[in-house]
Amino acid sequence: MLHPERTTHTVIIDRPCGTGKTTEMLASLKPNLKYLLVTPLLTEIERFQNDAPECVEIAAPIEGKGPKLIQLEKMLQEGQSVAITHKLFFMTLRLAHLMADYHIIIDEAPNPVSCINTIDAEAFEEAIVGGGYARVCPETKQVIPTDKWRKWQRETFDSEGEPTYSSRLHPDIYRPAVQGQLHVDDKGVFAVATPNQVLLAGRSLTVMTFLSEGTYIHAYLKMIAKGNPKADFEVKREATHAWLKRAHSLVSIEALSIPQHVSLSFSKQTRRSNEKTCKSIGSALKNLIERRWKGIKREDIILTCARDKWFEDRKGRYAGQWAKHSRLFGRDYTKGGVHWLPNKTRGTNDYKHASHVIYLYSMSPNPMVQNFLGVSGQNFSDAYALSEMVQFIWRTRVRDGRPITVTVPDKRMRAILLDWLNSAIEGDDNFAVIDAAA
């Protein structure tokens, strides 16, 4: 799994969901090496600890035992192998120097880039760079604060004792800048969740995912490799035509008729919809469960859409605009209803019982982020959509080789998924991927 024959510092293991990536990774751990294991979910950390070889002890920061970052710092200083979440990994810039002897293994591709909307590139160039507060690395586009900007930093700390990196001058962008997370080009200003100083801090970096061509981390590593050879990576593709052929036989895809004017993009879903439209969507879902899927238990269905469309309140107790007409919601914190999950759900086996999926999204990458990463174009957009969709669908029992049914209302998304699965019966022995660089 860790490919000791690797010729590059960084390796992406591109292997289908449910084929034992994590299990094999844990079995390959050696007692004489140091590991930093990074996973999306807290629940997976306990699995890492329980399933690692007896001769390999995996430590982890513990809730209620003080600031987790400080716990992690002590563990790294002591040379322990550690398991942490993506969220904590994003906060480790000041600990990067302690990771030099560690093999960093990231389970599931993190989303490394988001847009900053409070200042545009032109204003940043004039006010921040022109004012002498920062410079921009020409290769990586990383913003590096100067002493002129750093002197405005407030010495304040959060409830866990960590510095807040607050500043009296441009506070909204100072923190990501001083943490090595801020980048800028002529298209905009961007926050990078995992600065390259952290991502490449260890003895090696392994990212385990599937359909990596459609992930931001693939594009980000490719971008920063121009200025840092440690980011130059090889993809170890471990998917087979036979696996895809089996997936084709297990996944049934259905359409769902909703009003034509309704866009299922995330940005459009976050806007308030009129009652007539919401009732139409809810009625379509109601007809689905009462007719085509009659007899299917709601607890065996997973569904994704924008959270505000499914829940009226933050606690998730009351049905949102789309849910209240659907007969899918359940009662008292959705008990007895379908399982709503964020589209970014990764690395969990908690829904392996699910037999049906409702995918209420039209996925596209942020065009500004695409341009920043140098992967603009329809090919990357389609590869991104496929990667996101497959990761979500493979939370279900299809992981165990059992059939599932997926309803995808959006025509483009449905076509992308169908084309990918149908490639299994076109006689090509190569595993089908979308060439995101084309």
Side-chain angles (χ1 to χ4, degrees):
M1 171 58 72
L2 298 183
H3 292 279
E5 74 280 7
R6 68 168 75 208
T7 58
T8 58
H9 173 272
T10 302
V11 168
I12 295 178
I13 307 293
D14 194 313
R15 182 171 169 180
C17 313
T19 56
K21 289 192 298 290
T22 304
T23 300
E24 288 190 22
M25 176 274 290
L26 291 171
S28 72
L29 301 182
K30 308 296 182 187
N32 58 324
L33 299 178
K34 301 175 187 176
Y35 300 99
L36 181 61
L37 309 179
V38 187
T39 179
L41 302 172
L42 274 171
T43 51
E44 284 294 285
I45 290 177
E46 187 175 349
R47 177 192 170 192
F48 286 3
Q49 293 176 308
N50 293 337
D51 293 355
E54 289 187 11
C55 56
V56 178
E57 185 174 346
I58 305 295
I62 300 172
E63 199 73 44
K65 296 291 185 179
K68 288 188 177 181
L69 201 60
I70 293 176
Q71 291 185 59
L72 175 61
E73 182 176 20
K74 183 178 180 182
M75 292 169 183
L76 295 177
Q77 288 171 339
E78 294 173 351
Q80 299 182 64
S81 290
V82 189
I84 60 175
T85 61
H86 285 184
K87 183 178 179 181
L88 186 59
F89 185 60
F90 295 160
M91 300 164 58
T92 57
L93 180 63
R94 71 173 182 82
L95 307 183
H97 67 286
L98 299 174
M99 302 177 191
D101 291 331
Y102 280 78
H103 296 278
I104 299 173
I105 305 173
I106 304 178
D107 193 9
E108 302 299 347
N111 184 4
V113 183
S114 60
C115 288
I116 299 286
N117 297 318
T118 55
I119 187 170
D120 62 28
E122 187 178 352
F124 186 92
E125 179 66 28
E126 183 174 333
I128 307 299
V129 178
Y133 297 105
R135 62 183 181 85
V136 179
C137 174
E139 288 85 14
T140 65
K141 309 299 183 185
Q142 183 178 337
V143 175
I144 303 167
T146 63
D147 290 341
K148 185 177 180 179
W149 198 1
R150 288 178 180 273
K151 76 177 183 180
W152 293 96
Q153 180 175 316
R154 296 187 182 99
E155 295 301 319
T156 57
F157 302 86
D158 62 19
S159 59
E160 293 195 336
E162 287 298 314
T164 62
Y165 299 109
S166 175
S167 173
R168 288 170 286 175
L169 189 67
H170 304 293
D172 52 328
I173 57 174
Y174 178 73
R175 178 170 181 163
V178 80
Q179 290 183 309
Q181 296 173 301
L182 199 67
H183 290 65
V184 64
D185 66 7
D186 57 355
K187 305 294 192 307
V189 183
F190 305 90
V192 175
T194 313
N196 57 65
Q197 294 97 318
V198 172
L199 205 57
L200 305 174
R203 188 175 293 275
S204 71
L205 171 67
T206 303
V207 179
M208 303 190 303
T209 189
F210 184 40
L211 298 172
S212 61
E213 287 82 2
T215 63
Y216 282 157
I217 191 69
H218 185 286
Y220 177 61
L221 285 169
K222 203 169 184 178
M223 182 188 78
I224 64 176
K226 298 171 185 176
N228 191 332
K230 290 177 75 174
D232 191 23
F233 61 90
E234 59 179 329
V235 177
K236 298 286 188 180
R237 196 176 309 286
E238 299 179 357
T240 65
H241 181 75
W243 180 90
L244 186 58
K245 195 171 183 179
R246 190 175 188 219
H248 177 272
S249 70
L250 293 172
V251 181
S252 298
I253 302 172
E254 300 179 349
L256 182 68
S257 180
I258 62 174
Q260 289 187 353
H261 69 277
V262 174
S263 170
L264 293 178
S265 69
F266 177 77
S267 60
K268 294 292 177 62
Q269 287 194 42
T270 53
R271 301 174 187 174
R272 191 77 180 173
S273 303
N274 64 56
E275 184 64 21
K276 183 179 179 180
T277 296
C278 293
K279 191 170 183 179
S280 296
I281 295 171
S283 296
L285 294 170
K286 176 178 172 242
N287 289 337
L288 177 68
I289 192 67
E290 293 184 347
R291 296 178 185 176
R292 267 191 280 163
W293 291 3
K294 187 175 182 180
I296 302 300
K297 293 180 180 179
R298 287 162 176 76
E299 295 92 334
D300 290 336
I301 301 171
I302 63 171
L303 174 150
T304 189
C305 64
R307 192 183 194 283
D308 290 347
K309 283 291 182 282
W310 201 249
F311 299 109
E312 184 66 32
D313 61 315
R314 288 188 176 183
K315 291 185 176 181
R317 188 165 190 175
Y318 303 108
Q321 286 185 295
W322 290 0
K324 63 183 178 182
H325 299 292
S326 70
R327 300 280 179 90
L328 294 175
F329 192 74
R331 299 177 181 178
D332 192 19
Y333 291 94
T334 73
K335 290 178 181 176
V338 302
H339 299 282
W340 176 90
L341 301 175
N343 181 58
K344 295 287 185 183
T345 300
R346 301 282 189 276
T348 178
N349 294 323
D350 291 348
Y351 304 95
K352 286 204 318 183
H353 65 282
S355 59
H356 288 68
V357 179
I358 302 173
Y359 198 87
L360 298 175
Y361 264 121
S362 175
M363 295 302 299
S364 293
N366 185 302
M368 290 179 65
V369 172
Q370 272 189 274
N371 288 331
F372 171 66
L373 295 174
V375 287
S376 56
Q378 192 60 47
N379 281 354
F380 180 79
S381 183
D382 288 351
Y384 176 86
L386 178 64
S387 178
E388 293 287 298
M389 191 164 32
V390 168
Q391 283 283 358
F392 184 84
I393 292 169
W394 256 257
R395 297 307 105 203
T396 64
R397 70 184 193 180
V398 74
R399 299 172 68 87
D400 292 334
R402 300 164 66 196
I404 62 168
T405 300
V406 183
T407 185
V408 185
D410 185 79
K411 184 178 179 181
R412 168 180 164 264
M413 296 293 287
R414 194 165 61 251
I416 290 171
L417 184 58
L418 277 167
D419 287 348
W420 178 66
L421 289 171
N422 286 340
S423 68
I425 57 174
E426 292 175 356
D428 187 353
D429 289 337
N430 295 319
F431 185 81
V433 298
I434 296 175
D435 185 0

